[in-house]
Amino acid sequence: MATDTLATFPRPGLAVDLAILTVTDASTDPALRVLVQDRTDPVGYALPGRFMRERQTTTETARDVFVHKVGIQPGSEIRPRLLRLFDDPDRDERTWAISAAHWIPMREAALESVRGTLVPVSRDGRLDGIDRLLFDHDEIVAGAIQALRKRYDYRRSYDDHTPPDPDGFLAEPFTLHQLRRVHEAVLGERLHKDNFNRRMKQYEFVAPVLNDDESPALAENLRGRPAALYRRAGQAERRPE
Amino acid sequence: MATDTLATFPRPGLAVDLAILTVTDASTDPALRVLVQDRTDPVGYALPGRFMRERQTTTETARDVFVHKVGIQPGSEIRPRLLRLFDDPDRDERTWAISAAHWIPMREAALESVRGTLVPVSRDGRLDGIDRLLFDHDEIVAGAIQALRKRYDYRRSYDDHTPPDPDGFLAEPFTLHQLRRVHEAVLGERLHKDNFNRRMKQYEFVAPVLNDDESPALAENLRGRPAALYRRAGQAERRPE
DNA sequence: ACAATAGTGTCTATCAGACAATATGGC
DNA sequence: GCCATATTGTCTGATAGACACTATTGT
């Protein structure tokens, strides 16, 4: 907080832009996607965003973006994560506008009937079939993907006490195969099956589902030996960041 | 960027607050410190900060903070790092004001004759001799220290291709002993001499200083066997973030 | 000679990567 | 029986932590 004589200087419009990330078909054919919307003002694709209204917080503004721009009623768990500020005074020729770029992971179930398209992210972090987004939104998407991938690096996560699939893209119960496929979809790279499974079993965060007779519950697969089912264990404890 | 009808809504005052970190006496008795200033408006200690003037960037505002609040003329290398936004609408009772909290590492040499006090940081991240700062500035300092310590974790840095002492607190040439002491001062914990030195020699980022006859240059110490001198090697390459 | 610090060597535990072998279901 | 997948075991290389030993200076 600064102690200038205030209210006398021009003030910037402050917008919240959201890179909404999700994993679709998490349990069958997981794919990392970003919500992108069509624009007509300048024609092209862009992220949903909105200027902050009087005495709103960024979180409240993000909620408004969901209600008015995305067209869904978000739960209470909305927690946008700040990436950076875009503050080039000439980035909006209409007025002095600063954008607070955020990213937010959402479960696919919460994104039914959204306005816009869930565009798949390719391995190298580009958007499939979209050349470029309007404004500085390509940078926002790149930063969002990088942040999410860092969060889903299961080796780093182990040190940080972050559980696997921390954003819950995959519904319970799940097999380790499904869990690994979700991580692979987020990271854009293959993971070693045995090393991944070994690591997961060391976590306090995943626990096998047991039948009434204490035997491990098994998934009913189409092919191959049935896999054991797991769920997230208690242990929610802290979220360091 | 959002496409509302704009210029019609109230806008927030946007301030840039700076946690300026440095290591004093880097080559002899290094200590991590934060620049804190006395306030009279509300009485207490606070970080330097300032509202953004028309069509300024955050970097330009940070530069103004240095010139007008800190009282020094910063070089061109000013690069404030965003920590978070403080957007509680009631945090400033005078007006709707949002603070963009930044941290920035500075060399001690650049901080001669600053207005304010360079307060030492204790091992647990608290400020020595200061109970609490005004406003939400304790949180900013805590976040700044956490970010700098993460940056100075030499094991993580190795993976990130970040050089040791990436912010150049220590002047060249230096011994590995001095370099380790700087890292210890930042991290607030002791490091193993042999493991640290072993890691440093694996870096492409530090190179031994050689005399004309190709023999390694040695430091002139008060006591003990003279240590080899090192400098930062080329290899500046990328700064991932 | 002694204190103090620099530099080197080595042992151990951990763990990711990699591969092999076995187990268990559907067809 | 055959195929596909799950599960378990093992080997290797890299490396952090820890400790011991030698080297080189000033006093």
Side-chain angles (χ1 to χ4, degrees):
Chain A
M1 188 188 297
T3 55
D4 280 5
T5 52
L6 33 78
T8 58
F9 301 107
R11 297 175 164 203
L14 189 54
V16 171
D17 287 325
L18 291 184
I20 300 168
L21 304 183
T22 194
V23 171
T24 56
D25 300 314
S27 56
T28 54
D29 184 25
L32 175 62
R33 291 170 190 257
V34 182
L35 180 64
V36 163
Q37 295 184 325
D38 229 335
R39 292 273 181 102
T40 52
D41 186 354
V43 172
Y45 296 99
L47 300 177
R50 181 185 170 91
F51 279 98
M52 292 179 76
R53 303 304 168 95
E54 185 165 18
R55 302 185 83 78
Q56 268 188 337
T57 64
T58 52
T59 302
E60 289 162 358
T61 305
R63 175 174 299 273
D64 278 359
V65 171
F66 277 105
V67 172
H68 296 109
K69 300 294 176 90
V70 179
I72 65 172
Q73 195 68 39
S76 57
E77 77 290 358
I78 295 301
R79 208 162 70 91
R81 297 155 182 271
L82 180 62
L83 275 173
R84 50 166 295 192
L85 297 178
F86 288 93
D87 59 356
D88 178 354
D90 299 319
R91 57 183 288 282
D92 189 328
E93 71 269 13
R94 299 166 296 181
T95 184
W96 183 26
I98 291 176
S99 163
H102 290 74
W103 67 282
I104 183 168
M106 299 278 289
R107 295 187 177 85
E108 183 184 20
L111 294 179
E112 285 177 14
S113 70
V114 291
R115 282 205 287 279
T117 312
L118 292 170
V119 179
V121 175
S122 65
R123 309 224 149 189
D124 62 358
R126 306 229 159 258
L127 295 185
D128 276 351
I130 289 190
D131 187 37
R132 62 169 246 101
L133 300 178
L134 293 171
F135 316 121
D136 16 43
H137 290 187
D138 276 320
E139 281 183 75
I140 301 177
V141 169
I145 292 171
Q146 183 181 335
L148 184 71
R149 285 184 169 170
K150 191 168 177 180
R151 194 167 152 76
Y152 270 70
D153 177 343
Y154 71 93
R155 278 151 292 183
R156 191 182 299 256
S157 298
Y158 185 77
D159 295 337
D160 292 349
H161 299 277
T162 303
D165 187 25
D167 298 316
F169 294 130
L170 184 61
E172 298 183 88
F174 49 80
T175 67
L176 294 185
H177 178 82
Q178 292 172 321
L179 185 61
R180 178 169 50 87
R181 294 250 293 156
V182 166
H183 274 256
E184 288 175 344
V186 170
L187 297 177
E189 65 184 46
R190 302 297 300 271
L191 298 171
H192 286 266
K193 178 186 65 163
D194 24 18
N195 299 332
F196 182 84
N197 289 8
R198 181 172 47 195
R199 185 50 112 182
M200 288 306 119
K201 288 172 187 169
Q202 289 175 9
Y203 273 94
E204 344 65 292
F205 294 116
V206 296
V209 179
L210 299 181
N211 293 319
D212 295 340
D213 62 350
E214 300 288 310
S215 66
L218 300 180
E220 299 177 0
N221 290 303
L222 293 178
R223 287 197 301 263
R225 173 176 172 178
L229 288 172
Y230 291 82
R231 57 178 173 74
R232 297 171 221 286
Q235 296 286 130
E237 49 179 341
R238 71 205 178 88
R239 282 274 178 92
E241 80 216 75
Chain B
M1 188 187 296
T3 55
D4 281 5
T5 52
L6 34 78
T8 59
F9 300 107
R11 297 174 165 204
L14 188 54
V16 171
D17 286 325
L18 291 184
I20 301 168
L21 305 182
T22 194
V23 171
T24 55
D25 300 314
S27 56
T28 55
D29 184 26
L32 176 62
R33 291 169 190 257
V34 182
L35 180 65
V36 164
Q37 295 184 324
D38 230 334
R39 292 271 182 105
T40 52
D41 186 353
V43 172
Y45 295 99
L47 300 177
R50 182 185 169 91
F51 279 98
M52 292 178 76
R53 304 303 170 96
E54 185 164 20
R55 302 185 81 77
Q56 267 189 338
T57 64
T58 52
T59 302
E60 288 162 359
T61 304
R63 175 174 299 274
D64 278 359
V65 172
F66 277 105
V67 172
H68 296 110
K69 301 293 177 92
V70 179
I72 65 172
Q73 194 70 37
S76 56
E77 79 289 358
I78 295 302
R79 207 162 68 91
R81 297 156 182 270
L82 180 64
L83 274 174
R84 50 166 295 193
L85 297 178
F86 288 93
D87 57 357
D88 179 354
D90 298 319
R91 57 184 288 282
D92 189 327
E93 71 268 12
R94 299 166 296 181
T95 184
W96 183 26
I98 292 176
S99 163
H102 290 74
W103 67 282
I104 182 169
M106 299 279 290
R107 296 186 178 85
E108 183 184 18
L111 293 179
E112 285 177 15
S113 70
V114 291
R115 282 205 287 276
T117 312
L118 291 172
V119 179
V121 175
S122 66
R123 310 225 148 188
D124 62 358
R126 306 229 159 258
L127 296 186
D128 276 351
I130 290 191
D131 187 36
R132 62 169 247 101
L133 300 178
L134 293 171
F135 316 122
D136 15 44
H137 291 186
D138 276 321
E139 283 184 73
I140 301 178
V141 168
I145 292 171
Q146 183 180 335
L148 184 71
R149 285 184 169 170
K150 191 166 176 180
R151 194 168 152 77
Y152 270 70
D153 177 343
Y154 71 93
R155 278 150 290 183
R156 192 182 297 257
S157 298
Y158 185 76
D159 295 338
D160 291 349
H161 300 278
T162 303
D165 186 24
D167 298 315
F169 294 130
L170 184 61
E172 297 183 272
F174 48 80
T175 68
L176 295 186
H177 177 82
Q178 292 172 319
L179 184 63
R180 178 169 50 87
R181 292 252 293 157
V182 167
H183 275 256
E184 288 175 343
V186 170
L187 298 177
E189 65 183 48
R190 302 296 301 271
L191 298 172
H192 286 266
K193 177 187 70 163
D194 21 19
N195 299 332
F196 181 84
N197 289 7
R198 180 172 51 195
R199 186 49 113 182
M200 287 306 120
K201 289 173 188 169
Q202 288 174 11
Y203 273 94
E204 343 65 294
F205 294 116
V206 295
V209 179
L210 300 181
N211 293 321
D212 294 341
D213 61 352
E214 300 287 309
S215 65
L218 300 180
E220 299 176 0
N221 290 301
L222 293 179
R223 285 198 300 263
R225 175 176 170 178
L229 288 171
Y230 290 82
R231 55 177 174 74
R232 298 171 220 286
Q235 295 287 127
E237 47 179 340
R238 70 205 181 88
R239 282 274 178 92
E241 78 215 75

